[in-house]
Amino acid sequence: MSSACKTFLLSAALAARGAGRAHCRGCQVTAAACPVPRCRALLPSALAAVGGEYASAIRGDPMGIALIWCLALILIKCITSKRRGAISYDSSDQTALYIRMLGDVRVRSRAGFETERRGSHPYIDFRIFHSNSEIEVSVSARNVRRLLSFQRYLRSSRFFRGITVPNSSNILDDDYNGQAKCMLEKVGNWNFDIFLFDRLTNGNSLVSLTFHLFNLHGLIEHFQLDTMKLRRFLVMVQEDYHSQNPYHNAVHAADVTQAMHCYLKEPKLSESLTPWDVLLSLIAAATHDLDHPGVNQPFLIKTNHYLATLYKNTSVLENHHWRSAVGLLRESGLFAHMSLENRQLMESQIGDLILATDISQQNEYLSMFRSHLDRGDLCLENANHRHFILQMALKCADICNPCRTWELSKQWSEKVTEEFFHQGDIEKKYHLGVSPLCDRQTETIANIQIGFMTYLVEPLFGEWARFSNTRLSQTMLGHLGLNKASWKGVQREQSGSGDDVDPTFEEMDSDILPQEPRLS
């Protein structure tokens, strides 16, 4: 056993004995009763390693034994993991655990907007890390309890040991499991509150919701997916969203995925879509804004960002989201059991769906959609037509916030506007010229939202209602009308006139349409 492990065990055991308050929920087993042979072999060695005097003292203290047993399991997991990592203890701070990950890490530069750093453990939030590739960071007392939660560890250890869980969708922390499961039973309800669900899942809404939908649609069984690989893929996706973005974060991705699920349930689609179509739709929805930097395409272009150069100033963000998703799919090995041809087809079609969310292409897609509806030639038995409808569905899901209830829609409006204004603040600071809709001194949430609804949302959802004239479509249009009226009321209070619409939207054409009010 390494000296770091000895120090960790010794210090932790003495701290537990001195404080008399350490405990481990659910730990009722002894070393001899452990079902894992290497665990039984390691614990005596760990006790012997810390010295005979301290080992004797610990053996006489049940609290110490429980804590040492729990820590030994964590050490075994770190030692046997394919991805390198280590946990160390700082004796100068008896209440803090420090995490140092040495494995699969991508560093985020202090300057510019590059890929966010990602850790590899599904239950530790590595977004609290900064820019160094090896760094020790203090974790809050709440996260310490999270790390040492024996119930949570037992659940995850089943995945590592390959033991089948009776209910594969039951992956939520036990403290929140009841309420979150109740919400998941109504995941197809358009009034689904993603903000509440994110709180109930302790910030893991994207992982929990998407895993549940994979199970609900029978994709795990149909495609013979390894649940451990699926879990790992979803955790990596969630971690690659930037939590500091007010809008383009994992909660937005979860919201879009839930909306996509609602559209997949619509009669025209549910009767025609294949499991392959559903699989592509859910993956594309969950990854459609992956690694979004929190600024729009014009900002990347005028700052000569490397992504703008790489993608030649064309659908810069969407190409990056797509390529990032493909990278995680390959890294996770989720579809490694499929043929190379099928994997390449999947990556290409996921790209088609994500690229369709580029709002600069809004007029083109809307014109095609309207033409198909006018001619009445959409045939969902045709794979190409189904794929086009899925592109339109993802576009709708991406900008459906104004079609939610006022309580939800208002929160999203405030978040996206704050992200716009944050970009404007950066542009002012560096004298770059403030982008349209990004100046907090001249713009208001009401003006931005009214223009957005009028010129982008209403035309798209009007055509979608022509294609699928269902109760859901009418509900969305109803909320859209009410929300627009509410923002006009706010606008009248602010300006004394209800007829003011942001001129930025009135001037939009096919070149400008997508880039400034980007809500995807």
Side-chain angles (χ1 to χ4, degrees):
M1 179 178 291
S2 67
S3 58
C5 293
K6 295 176 186 177
T7 304
F8 182 86
L9 288 171
L10 175 59
S11 303
L14 292 178
R17 285 174 55 78
R21 61 178 180 273
H23 67 282
C24 178
R25 292 186 296 154
C27 185
Q28 303 294 334
V29 297
T30 64
C34 177
V36 184
R38 59 186 174 187
C39 295
R40 293 199 299 269
L42 180 59
L43 185 58
S45 300
L47 291 173
V50 301
E53 177 183 354
Y54 295 114
S56 299
I58 293 173
R59 287 193 185 98
D61 186 349
M63 301 292 288
I65 292 175
L67 180 59
I68 291 297
W69 176 242
C70 190
L71 295 175
L73 291 176
I74 296 175
L75 286 174
I76 292 169
K77 184 174 174 180
C78 293
I79 292 169
T80 59
S81 176
K82 293 182 180 179
R83 301 162 71 85
R84 297 173 294 140
I87 302 178
S88 61
Y89 187 82
D90 182 2
S91 59
S92 65
D93 183 355
Q94 297 288 318
T95 63
L97 284 175
Y98 290 82
I99 311 298
R100 181 175 66 250
M101 291 307 301
L102 309 177
D104 178 22
V105 173
R106 290 184 287 173
V107 181
R108 177 174 182 162
S109 170
R110 288 188 183 275
F113 299 83
E114 300 188 12
T115 306
E116 186 173 22
R117 178 175 183 140
R118 174 170 53 77
S120 60
H121 194 287
Y123 294 121
I124 302 177
D125 187 357
F126 288 98
R127 290 172 291 184
I128 62 174
F129 282 79
H130 300 295
S131 61
N132 296 328
S133 60
E134 292 187 13
I135 186 170
E136 292 185 340
V137 179
S138 177
V139 183
S140 67
R142 180 181 180 184
N143 283 341
V144 170
R145 291 195 298 271
R146 231 178 127 200
L147 176 64
L148 296 180
S149 168
F150 203 70
Q151 292 176 343
R152 180 184 284 265
Y153 177 76
L154 285 177
R155 189 179 301 281
S156 66
S157 67
R158 293 191 183 100
F159 286 111
F160 279 90
R161 298 200 301 267
I163 298 175
T164 303
V165 181
N167 183 1
S168 59
S169 65
N170 184 21
I171 61 170
L172 306 177
D173 184 66
D174 290 338
D175 293 338
Y176 305 99
N177 195 32
Q179 298 177 67
K181 282 184 66 178
C182 286
M183 289 197 68
L184 285 177
E185 291 175 359
K186 300 180 180 179
V187 70
N189 191 320
W190 187 248
N191 296 332
F192 190 87
D193 188 341
I194 195 64
F195 298 111
L196 174 59
F197 185 73
D198 190 62
R199 291 193 295 272
L200 292 177
T201 56
N202 203 16
N204 292 299
S205 56
L206 181 58
V207 174
S208 302
L209 184 138
T210 309
F211 192 100
H212 175 77
L213 292 180
F214 266 68
N215 191 58
L216 184 65
H217 286 279
L219 301 178
I220 296 175
E221 181 179 0
H222 183 86
F223 292 100
Q224 298 180 338
L225 300 180
D226 185 323
T227 55
M228 186 60 200
K229 289 181 179 180
L230 175 59
R231 172 77 178 177
R232 180 171 178 261
F233 168 68
L234 295 177
V235 168
M236 290 192 296
V237 168
Q238 181 172 274
E239 291 298 330
D240 269 11
Y241 278 95
H242 299 201
S243 59
Q244 70 270 24
N245 289 347
Y247 182 85
H248 289 106
N249 51 44
V251 183
H252 166 65
D255 185 63
V256 172
T257 305
Q258 189 271 336
M260 193 67 174
H261 166 65
C262 291
Y263 300 151
L264 296 178
K265 288 175 52 187
E266 290 288 77
K268 276 192 175 182
L269 293 180
S270 63
E271 296 169 0
S272 306
L273 295 181
T274 66
W276 179 266
D277 296 327
V278 176
L279 179 69
L280 296 178
S281 300
L282 294 181
I283 293 177
T287 61
H288 81 285
D289 272 331
L290 193 61
D291 198 36
H292 196 292
V295 293
N296 60 18
Q297 177 172 292
F299 182 92
L300 298 179
I301 293 174
K302 66 184 176 184
T303 55
N304 297 317
H305 195 277
Y306 78 94
L307 288 177
T309 303
L310 178 64
Y311 297 115
K312 300 179 181 179
N313 299 341
T314 303
S315 297
V316 175
L317 288 171
E318 290 72 27
N319 271 295
H320 179 57
H321 304 326
W322 169 34
R323 299 300 181 181
S324 298
V326 169
L328 295 188
L329 281 171
R330 293 179 180 180
E331 181 181 350
S332 67
L334 180 59
F335 300 106
H337 59 290
M338 289 186 177
S339 67
L340 177 61
E341 181 181 1
N342 283 340
R343 293 201 305 271
Q344 290 177 338
L345 177 62
M346 173 182 295
E347 292 172 359
S348 174
Q349 292 185 336
I350 289 174
D352 292 339
L353 293 176
I354 294 177
L355 290 175
T357 63
D358 183 358
I359 233 157
S360 63
Q361 306 298 320
Q362 175 86 343
N363 282 348
E364 177 183 342
Y365 279 95
L366 192 58
S367 296
M368 291 174 58
F369 194 30
R370 186 177 289 119
S371 297
H372 277 300
L373 294 175
D374 290 342
R375 295 193 302 266
D377 61 356
L378 279 173
C379 176
L380 296 185
E381 295 180 359
N382 183 312
N384 292 330
H385 285 191
R386 287 200 310 272
H387 194 64
F388 174 70
I389 291 300
L390 292 179
Q391 288 177 313
M392 299 307 300
L394 185 56
K395 288 178 67 65
C396 289
D398 191 27
I399 61 172
C400 72
N401 302 149
C403 300
R404 300 282 192 178
T405 62
W406 170 251
E407 292 74 16
L408 298 176
S409 178
K410 184 172 182 289
Q411 292 184 67
W412 286 121
S413 300
E414 292 168 347
K415 289 176 181 295
V416 72
T417 305
E418 181 53 37
E419 191 166 296
F420 288 161
F421 289 167
H422 178 67
Q423 175 180 322
D425 295 341
I426 296 175
E427 291 169 331
K428 286 181 181 179
K429 181 178 179 180
Y430 294 102
H431 308 289
L432 297 174
V434 181
S435 299
L437 310 181
C438 294
D439 191 340
R440 69 174 72 243
Q441 303 301 323
T442 60
E443 299 286 354
T444 66
I445 301 178
N447 285 349
I448 292 174
Q449 287 303 306
I450 292 172
F452 177 65
M453 293 178 186
T454 302
Y455 296 102
L456 292 176
V457 183
E458 286 179 346
L460 178 61
F461 280 86
E463 297 303 320
W464 180 262
R466 287 181 61 196
F467 164 72
S468 177
N469 188 17
T470 62
R471 180 177 179 180
L472 174 60
S473 295
Q474 297 306 315
T475 298
M476 292 190 296
L477 291 177
H479 286 318
L480 178 60
L482 292 174
N483 293 336
K484 185 176 180 180
S486 297
W487 283 119
K488 284 187 175 181
V490 173
Q491 186 185 63
R492 281 192 294 271
E493 293 177 0
Q494 294 174 341
S495 63
S497 172
D499 298 325
D500 296 335
V501 176
D502 196 310
T504 302
F505 288 97
E506 294 178 336
E507 297 171 359
M508 284 183 178
D509 55 27
S510 59
D511 296 326
I512 305 175
L513 193 69
Q515 300 173 6
E516 309 313 342
R518 171 106 168 89
L519 287 181
S520 56

